[in-house]
Amino acid sequence: MASLNVGNLGEYLREQRRNAQLSLRQLADATGVSNPYLSQIERGLRKPSAEVLQQVAKALRISAETLYVRAGILDAERDRDEVETRAVILADPGLNERQKQVLLQIYESFRKENGLGTGDVAGAPGDGGDTSISGPRTGAAGDGGAVPPRPAG
């Protein structure tokens, strides 16, 4: 079978899987994707869908956007800076998962405010999970934050 020019993706996935100390079978179990199909992706024989890449990224705890670029789903030139910024945030060991997601949400809001919306990348599956902020929000009226209640009258 001829290579579909996704060898770079396959090599990268194999390297990430090995770094995570997972066997192909363990990755298949974690993703819900068949072992033979993952093997074909790693060997560059299959081009996976964005959904499969999302599951693989989640299982390997890596940036789905990076996989999208390597698979040719995102335009590398146009999206490289944003993808790299997101990847650095997601890879930072000094932040917990919630902090990473909050930081990504703030980053995205600034990009949109500056007219640099990310289109399909915004809220892309596999970017580390839910981007909603959980827990109490300070400063909003009615939640005990810094905004005082309105005087009666």
Side-chain angles (χ1 to χ4, degrees), residues 86-107:
R86 288 173 167 267
V88 168
I89 291 169
L90 291 170
D92 189 332
L95 300 174
N96 66 36
E97 289 304 311
R98 181 183 164 277
Q99 292 167 332
K100 291 175 185 180
Q101 293 310 311
V102 170
L103 188 54
L104 285 172
Q105 188 175 16
I106 292 167
Y107 172 68

Side-chain angles (χ1 to χ4, degrees), residues 27-49:
L27 183 59
D29 289 343
T31 61
V33 178
S34 76
N35 188 352
Y37 188 68
L38 288 174
S39 175
Q40 290 174 345
I41 293 169
E42 283 192 358
R43 290 181 289 142
L45 302 175
R46 298 277 182 188
K47 182 175 181 179
S49 68

Side-chain angles (χ1 to χ4, degrees), residues 33-87:
V33 178
S34 76
N35 188 352
Y37 188 68
L38 288 174
S39 175
Q40 290 174 345
I41 293 169
E42 283 192 358
R43 290 181 289 142
L45 302 175
R46 298 277 182 188
K47 182 175 181 179
S49 68
E51 291 79 17
V52 168
L53 290 175
Q54 171 193 358
Q55 292 303 108
V56 170
K58 193 175 201 178
L60 294 175
R61 301 181 65 90
I62 60 176
S63 165
E65 286 86 357
T66 300
L67 297 184
Y68 296 158
V69 169
R70 288 182 179 265
I73 295 172
L74 290 179
D75 179 13
E77 286 299 316
R78 191 188 77 209
D79 300 317
R80 182 180 357 182
D81 290 341
E82 180 186 357
V83 169
E84 287 177 357
T85 300
R86 288 173 167 267

